[in-house]
Amino acid sequence: TSCTAGSKITTTTCTKCPIGTYTASTTSTTCSVCEKGTYNDKEGQAKCKECPINQYQDNVGKSSCITCNSLCRSACIKTTGHCVDCDDGYELNTTSGVCNICSAGKYANIVTKAVCESCPAGTISTTMGSSSCTACTGMTYSTGGLSSCLKCDTKCKTCDNTSGKCLSCNKGYGISLDGMKCEKCKKNHYSNNNKCHQCPSGFTSRKGTTECSGNQKIPTCKETNTIPYHYECVSCDKAIT
C-alpha cells in the first residue's frame, strides 16, 4: 500500500498529515513535525514552509510564524527570534538576542554596531535611546558619558568643553593650579596672560587688578633683544612666553 506524499498509511487507508506536520514519503506510517524556523498551515503537506523574512518560529509542529521584535534592525534568526542587530539607540545582548535601550549619556547607531557607547568628552545625550550625542556649548563642559553639561567656573572668561578647565580669565584674575577656576589676584599682585604675578619691588596693587603702581618708572631698556615687560627689562623670548 502507498499514499501520496503528505499522507500517512493508516491500516489500509491514507490519512492526510495534520497542520504543523508533513511527510515526503509515500509509504510512511507517521507524519513528522515541522522543525523550528518552519511551519505548515494546511493538511496533507509533503514539506514544511520556511518562515518568511522578519518572522520566526522557535517551536516545532506549528501552523504559523511569529513576527520578529520591532527593535531588530534587520531580520531576526528564523529558529529563535533573536535579533542580529538593533535599531539606533539600542544595544544587542548577544546571549539572549534582545535589544536593550541605551541609558542617558550613551548612544548607539549602525557605526557602533549595536553597542551602547559613552558620549565622548565635550558631548552629552540627555535621554535614553539616543542615536547620537550633542555638543556642550557656551560656558559648559562634559568629561564624557554624561546626560547633562556641567557649568564652568563663573570667573572663567572661556573654558574647555571637554574638561571644564579655564582657558582665559576676566581681568584681575588668574587660572588656578588645577586649571578649574579663575582666582582673584591677591594684594600686591597683578594679572597678565591669565596668571597672577607679584608686583616688582617698590610697586603695590589692590586685589584683582591688572597693574601695579609705585614711585618707580617703567625702565628704558638699552640692551639688544630686551624690552620693558611687566616693569622689568627682560629678553624678548621671555616676554613672549
Side-chain angles (χ1 to χ4, degrees):
T1 302
S2 64
C3 301
T4 58
S7 296
K8 64 180 179 178
I9 300 172
T10 307
T11 314
T12 58
T13 62
C14 295
T15 304
K16 290 182 178 181
C17 290
I19 289 174
T21 67
Y22 75 101
T23 181
S25 172
T26 59
T27 58
S28 178
T29 58
T30 60
C31 296
S32 301
V33 295
C34 292
E35 300 295 327
K36 292 180 179 181
T38 67
Y39 73 104
N40 252 338
D41 56 353
K42 295 179 180 179
E43 296 179 337
Q45 300 301 303
K47 62 180 181 178
C48 297
K49 302 173 186 177
E50 185 177 345
C51 289
I53 292 175
N54 204 37
Q55 293 187 22
Y56 74 97
Q57 182 49 259
D58 56 353
N59 286 304
V60 298
K62 293 300 180 178
S63 60
S64 62
C65 296
I66 305 166
T67 301
C68 297
N69 190 295
S70 61
L71 296 176
C72 298
R73 181 186 292 276
S74 56
C76 63
I77 298 173
K78 291 182 181 293
T79 57
T80 62
H82 290 184
C83 296
V84 294
D85 52 14
C86 300
D87 280 346
D88 290 349
Y90 290 81
E91 180 175 69
L92 178 65
N93 182 318
T94 55
T95 301
S96 65
V98 173
C99 292
N100 297 313
I101 193 167
C102 296
S103 59
K106 296 186 176 183
Y107 73 106
N109 53 40
I110 195 169
V111 177
T112 69
K113 298 179 180 178
V115 174
C116 294
E117 294 188 355
S118 295
C119 288
T123 66
I124 60 167
S125 64
T126 59
T127 59
M128 297 173 67
S130 295
S131 61
S132 61
C133 304
T134 55
C136 293
T137 58
M139 295 295 292
T140 63
Y141 72 98
S142 164
T143 53
L146 300 181
S147 59
S148 61
C149 297
L150 305 174
K151 290 183 179 180
C152 297
D153 184 69
T154 55
K155 299 297 189 300
C156 294
K157 189 174 182 180
T158 57
C159 68
D160 186 330
N161 75 338
T162 65
S163 66
K165 290 188 175 182
C166 297
L167 299 176
S168 63
C169 298
N170 293 316
K171 292 182 179 181
Y173 288 79
I175 297 175
S176 61
L177 290 177
D178 64 4
M180 294 302 295
K181 59 185 177 180
C182 287
E183 298 174 324
K184 182 181 284 190
C185 294
K186 297 183 294 185
K187 183 179 180 181
N188 297 328
H189 288 70
Y190 67 99
S191 69
N192 185 272
N193 197 28
N194 302 306
K195 294 181 180 179
C196 293
H197 307 271
Q198 187 170 3
C199 293
S201 177
F203 286 77
T204 60
S205 72
R206 300 186 305 275
K207 290 181 179 180
T209 60
T210 58
E211 58 184 23
C212 303
S213 60
N215 296 325
Q216 296 186 33
K217 296 181 179 180
I218 296 177
T220 301
C221 302
K222 297 179 180 180
E223 295 181 26
T224 304
N225 293 327
T226 62
I227 60 172
Y229 187 72
H230 302 166
Y231 309 99
E232 299 177 278
C233 288
V234 298
S235 68
C236 293
D237 290 341
K238 183 176 179 183
I240 292 171
T241 56

